[in-house]
Amino acid sequence: MQYDRIDARILEIVQKNNRLTSEVIGEMAGLSPTACQRRLKRLRSEGIIQADVSIVSPKAVGRPIQVLALVTMERESADIIDRFKKAIKSSVDIVNGFYVTGDADFVLYITARTMEDYEQFTRSFFYENRDIKGFKTMVILDRVKAGFAVPVELPPED
């Protein structure tokens, strides 16, 4: 996956606002709309742009309870880890899931309508999974920053 300085500029622009038209993005990056569309298509097909998303307020859609859960597996083996990754991906309550190093094996960002709903989730998702040794919950008091923007490194000039 390679990109040039113009691609880097496009990436910076769309990470701030992915609703801009190709005309506007092209103008900001010094390209024609057609050239901009071609570059965006390539960036998507090569997986540099993984998704175009909107960040939704959990509170606004009735899911004000937000938690981070640190999950420790009973033991680490490829089949257990793969099975748990699949379970994470299939859960609508889990917004983000990370396989990590350190004290926990996974960090999950979970939303719920109520604490009772979260408790029900823990019973069905954590307690019924024999591969999980334990989990710790941290209730989020305030989402200070929400986003997916990644700093884009400029490639060296030729």
Side-chain angles (χ1 to χ4, degrees):
M1 288 189 250
Q2 293 195 0
Y3 62 92
D4 61 19
R5 290 181 164 282
I6 295 171
D7 292 334
R9 178 69 181 129
I10 292 170
L11 293 170
E12 288 173 344
I13 294 165
V14 298
Q15 284 191 104
K16 291 178 184 155
N17 184 351
N18 71 352
R19 293 180 47 115
L20 297 175
T21 64
S22 296
E23 290 80 17
V24 173
I25 297 168
E27 186 177 307
M28 294 170 75
L31 294 172
S32 71
T34 305
C36 181
Q37 286 175 340
R38 273 195 307 270
R39 283 176 178 262
L40 282 166
K41 183 178 180 180
R42 182 181 53 77
L43 291 167
R44 289 183 177 105
S45 70
E46 291 180 4
I48 294 172
I49 295 176
Q50 292 183 325
D52 294 288
V53 299
S54 296
I55 298 172
V56 175
S57 164
K59 292 176 186 175
V61 294
R63 299 187 69 87
I65 305 301
Q66 301 171 76
V67 302
L68 293 175
L70 306 177
V71 182
T72 305
M73 306 307 288
E74 193 63 53
R75 65 186 194 289
E76 284 195 58
S77 68
D79 62 322
I80 289 173
I81 297 301
D82 290 344
R83 208 170 32 245
F84 194 65
K85 285 180 179 180
K86 187 175 181 181
I88 290 169
K89 290 176 183 176
S90 67
S91 172
V92 296
D93 298 311
I94 300 172
V95 178
N96 285 301
F98 304 95
Y99 181 39
V100 298
T101 62
D103 293 338
D105 296 309
F106 289 89
V107 176
L108 309 178
Y109 168 55
I110 304 164
T111 65
R113 288 184 296 274
T114 64
M115 282 306 288
E116 291 80 15
D117 286 348
Y118 177 67
E119 181 186 7
Q120 184 56 45
F121 169 83
T122 63
R123 289 173 182 267
S124 63
F125 195 82
F126 296 135
Y127 293 137
E128 291 181 12
N129 186 333
R130 295 191 188 279
D131 294 327
I132 295 176
K133 181 178 184 178
F135 70 97
K136 293 179 182 176
T137 296
M138 295 182 289
V139 176
I140 296 172
L141 300 175
D142 183 20
R143 186 167 77 171
V144 178
K145 181 178 181 181
F148 294 101
V150 175
V152 179
E153 297 292 325
L154 291 176
E157 290 190 48
D158 295 329

